[in-house]
């Protein structure tokens, strides 16, 4: 994955993300209109795969007026995702990612695992399942994707339960893939060690490093930390940020604080206002370069440091700073103002080439707003509309 410092070489344009397809999804279901304009759909019995019986099938799916899933029970969602033919198959990838990302908000990993294992056992012992290999492959692929993207959800008990559920025909492939996943686990890199320790030191602002070099080094570390932050961590951060639930996110926040602390100390270290002014000019240049390479996180870290009370009150020092640089510094400040829900920043982010490093403060604000919506509907179904966001 390219770093922001190489943006000039990477001109791949950032595309607008779409949450799902809007194609018709109700090709095989009876439906009747409800009073709120949605379609309440009685799911077919899946007799083609015999995953559930008629007596057990009481769950409903609720679709919106555009044919997209609005709410569903957890059990029915699992059934649909592993079914060979489902009215939701056109958005199954989106729903699978959503389930793995957000299931901790309405169930537990243990309950989800048991629901999927139940369906796996039903498939393996049934003589009526058509294309059994395809269905089993979908289930095993789901498990492997889960383990790869969210390894902390898994433990030896989960692995053993899956192994016990599979028969000899599928067990060898599962074991082989499991070993390859474990062998591919990342080791701590040099950048990890640098970020975890204190990478900052005193700089000779007359000769040591250019603004571009400092911005690029900060962006390399920021990007390395950012790419390790999972969607799950962002979702869980709304409730709490702990070493157990959001370790990579915490590392990114800690490095932000280290950066601002380092810049503040660098500005205050010289005794003469003229020397302090040179340091401020250097870091305004770093902020501008960070913005240029789309490291918004690094940009606001530098700007925040220059806005701390200890730096702002250096009146004599600021009088010696280049008026042009002060003007550019103020323009960067405007980029992150809260007016119109960070409109200027959002527009800049949407127009940026990728890769880029976003400002976490706006992400946290958006997640808090989405989290105000209920996890489940009044009839106990998963509120898919919330988790699509």
């Amino acid at each position: 994955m390219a770093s922001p410092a190489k943006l000039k070489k990477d001109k791949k344009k950032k595309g607008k993300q779409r949450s799902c397809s809007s194609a018709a999804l109700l090709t095989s279901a009876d439906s009747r209109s409800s009073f709120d304009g949605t379609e309440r759909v009685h799911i077919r019995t899946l007799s083609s795969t015999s995953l559930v019986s008629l007596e057990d099938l009481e769950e409903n799916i609720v679709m919106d007026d555009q044919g997209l899933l609005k709410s569903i029970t957890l059990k029915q969602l699992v059934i649909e995702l592993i079914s060979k033919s489902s009215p939701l198959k056109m958005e199954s990838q989106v729903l699978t990612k959503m389930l793995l990302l957000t299931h901790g908000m309405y169930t537990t990993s243990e309950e989800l695992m048991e629901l999927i294992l139940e369906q796996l056992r039903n498939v393996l012992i049934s003589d009526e399942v058509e294309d059994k290999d395809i269905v089993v492959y979908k289930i095993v692929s789901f498990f492997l994707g889960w383990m790869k993207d969210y390894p902390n959800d898994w433990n030896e008990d989960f692995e053993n339960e899956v192994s016990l559920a599979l028969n000899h025909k599928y067990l060898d492939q599962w074991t082989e893939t499991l070993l390859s996943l474990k062998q591919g686990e990342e080791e701590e890199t040099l950048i990890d060690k640098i970020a975890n320790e204190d990478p900052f030191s005193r700089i000779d602002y007359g000769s040591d490093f250019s603004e571009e070099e400092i911005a690029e080094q900060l962006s390399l570390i920021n990007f390395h930390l950012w790419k390790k932050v999972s969607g799950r961590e962002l979702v869980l951060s709304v409730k709490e940020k702990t070493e157990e639930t959001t370790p990579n996110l915490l590392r990114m926040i800690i490095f932000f604080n280290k950066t601002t602390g380092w810049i503040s100390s660098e500005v205050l270290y010289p005794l003469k206002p003229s020397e302090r002014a040179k340091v401020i000019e250097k870091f305004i240049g770093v902020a501008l370069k960070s913005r240029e390479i789309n490291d918004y996180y690094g940009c606001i870290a530098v700007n925040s440091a220059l806005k701390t009370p200890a730096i702002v009150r250096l009146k004599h020092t600021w009088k010696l700073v280049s008026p042009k640089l002060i003007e550019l510094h103020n323009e960067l400040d405007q980029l992150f103002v809260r007016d119109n829900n960070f409109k200027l920043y959002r527009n800049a982010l949407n127009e940026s080439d990728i890769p880029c490093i976003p400002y976490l403060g706006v992400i946290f604000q958006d997640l808090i707003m989405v989290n105000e919506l209920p996890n489940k509907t009044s009839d106990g179904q998963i509120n898919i509309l919330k988790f699509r966001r």
Side-chain angles (χ1 to χ4, degrees):
M1 189 176 292
S3 71
K6 299 179 180 178
L7 267 181
K8 293 182 180 178
K9 298 180 181 179
D10 186 352
K11 291 299 181 181
K12 189 182 294 181
K13 195 66 179 176
K14 183 177 182 180
K16 293 183 178 179
Q17 295 183 351
R18 301 295 182 185
S19 60
C20 56
S21 168
S22 58
L25 302 173
L26 307 180
T27 56
S28 61
D30 274 337
S31 63
R32 56 184 171 83
S33 296
S34 61
F35 292 110
D36 62 358
T38 62
E39 296 291 325
R40 186 165 292 274
V41 181
H42 296 282
I43 299 305
R44 71 272 178 276
T45 63
L46 302 178
S47 58
S48 59
T49 56
S50 299
L51 294 175
V52 292
S53 65
L54 272 170
E55 304 85 60
D56 294 333
L57 188 58
E58 299 176 350
E59 294 84 4
N60 291 333
I61 291 178
V62 179
M63 317 293 288
D64 65 16
D65 54 7
Q66 295 181 340
L68 297 177
L69 182 62
K70 186 175 179 182
S71 66
I72 188 173
T73 62
L74 177 61
K75 182 176 181 179
Q76 194 64 48
L77 179 58
V78 168
I79 291 172
E80 296 302 320
L81 291 180
I82 66 176
S83 173
K84 175 174 169 271
S85 57
S86 166
L88 304 178
K89 63 182 179 181
M90 293 188 68
E91 54 175 348
S92 62
Q93 289 187 343
V94 172
L95 293 174
T96 297
K97 290 180 179 180
M98 184 213 73
L99 178 61
L100 291 178
L101 174 64
T102 66
H103 72 265
M105 301 184 74
Y106 44 83
T107 186
T108 63
S109 295
E110 289 76 12
E111 182 181 358
L112 178 59
M113 169 66 75
E114 186 53 42
L115 282 172
I116 302 172
L117 285 174
E118 178 186 353
Q119 301 308 318
L120 175 60
R121 297 184 190 105
N122 290 342
V123 170
L124 290 173
I125 65 176
S126 174
D127 295 326
E128 301 177 8
V129 176
E130 297 177 4
D131 298 319
K132 182 182 293 189
D133 287 347
I134 295 177
V135 177
V136 174
Y137 174 78
K138 291 186 71 172
I139 297 174
V140 172
S141 295
F142 182 93
F143 283 144
L144 292 175
W146 187 358
M147 181 180 292
K148 180 181 179 182
D149 293 340
Y150 303 103
N152 292 335
D153 289 356
W154 279 69
N155 52 45
E156 288 188 11
D157 290 340
F158 277 14
E159 294 175 24
N160 293 335
E161 286 184 46
V162 176
S163 298
L164 288 172
L166 293 169
N167 56 31
H168 294 293
K169 182 177 180 180
Y170 308 102
L171 185 57
D172 289 342
Q173 183 181 1
W174 163 257
T175 305
E176 181 180 340
T177 310
L178 203 60
L179 287 173
S180 67
L181 274 178
K182 290 183 177 181
Q183 290 172 355
E185 291 178 353
E186 291 187 13
E187 297 182 357
E188 187 179 41
T189 65
L190 177 59
I191 297 182
D192 285 316
K193 293 178 181 178
I194 291 173
N196 288 334
E197 297 170 2
D198 190 349
F200 304 111
S201 60
R202 294 280 308 129
I203 293 178
D204 178 355
Y205 292 94
S207 60
D208 276 3
F209 299 101
S210 68
E211 291 88 340
E212 185 173 5
E213 288 174 319
I214 298 173
E216 286 184 352
Q217 292 305 307
L218 288 175
S219 75
L220 285 170
I221 299 175
N222 283 331
F223 188 72
H224 181 78
L225 296 173
W226 168 243
K227 72 179 182 180
K228 287 193 170 187
V229 175
S230 67
R232 172 77 64 75
E233 288 190 46
L234 291 172
V235 169
L236 295 177
S237 71
V238 176
K239 293 185 176 180
E240 61 178 354
K241 299 179 183 68
T242 67
E243 188 61 39
E244 292 73 29
T245 59
T246 58
N248 297 303
L249 194 57
L250 280 179
R251 291 174 66 201
M252 199 167 182
I253 294 171
I254 290 171
F255 186 73
F256 181 99
N257 294 334
K258 284 181 178 180
T259 302
T260 57
W262 169 63
I263 294 171
S264 298
S265 66
E266 288 293 294
V267 173
L268 296 172
Y269 183 81
L271 298 178
K272 297 180 179 180
S274 59
E275 293 177 354
R276 288 178 173 177
K278 289 180 181 179
V279 180
I280 290 175
E281 289 181 345
K282 174 73 77 172
F283 280 111
I284 291 176
V286 171
L288 292 169
K289 288 296 180 181
S290 296
R291 167 66 184 89
E292 187 178 311
I293 60 176
N294 295 330
D295 181 4
Y296 294 98
Y297 195 65
C299 179
I300 197 167
V302 177
N303 254 32
S304 297
L306 297 178
K307 288 294 183 182
T308 56
I311 308 300
V312 171
R313 66 169 174 251
L314 300 175
K315 304 296 184 181
H316 297 296
T317 298
W318 281 99
K319 288 179 180 179
L320 300 175
V321 176
S322 163
K324 179 61 178 177
L325 285 177
I326 290 179
E327 181 182 348
L328 293 172
H329 174 56
N330 291 334
E331 287 179 7
L332 282 181
D333 276 344
Q334 290 302 307
L335 181 64
F336 298 102
V337 295
R338 296 176 175 271
D339 296 357
N340 297 315
N341 195 21
F342 291 95
K343 181 180 179 180
L344 293 177
Y345 163 72
R346 292 180 192 274
N347 289 342
L349 186 66
N350 289 335
E351 293 171 2
S352 297
D353 291 338
I354 55 175
C356 63
I357 309 173
Y359 170 37
L360 285 182
V362 175
I363 295 176
F364 291 149
Q365 174 185 288
D366 292 345
L367 288 171
I368 290 172
M369 291 179 64
V370 172
N371 195 54
E372 293 299 316
L373 299 171
N375 294 333
K376 293 188 176 183
T377 60
S378 57
D379 53 358
Q381 296 187 346
I382 302 170
N383 184 8
I384 301 295
L385 289 181
K386 170 180 177 173
F387 298 112
R388 281 191 193 281
R389 301 189 179 193

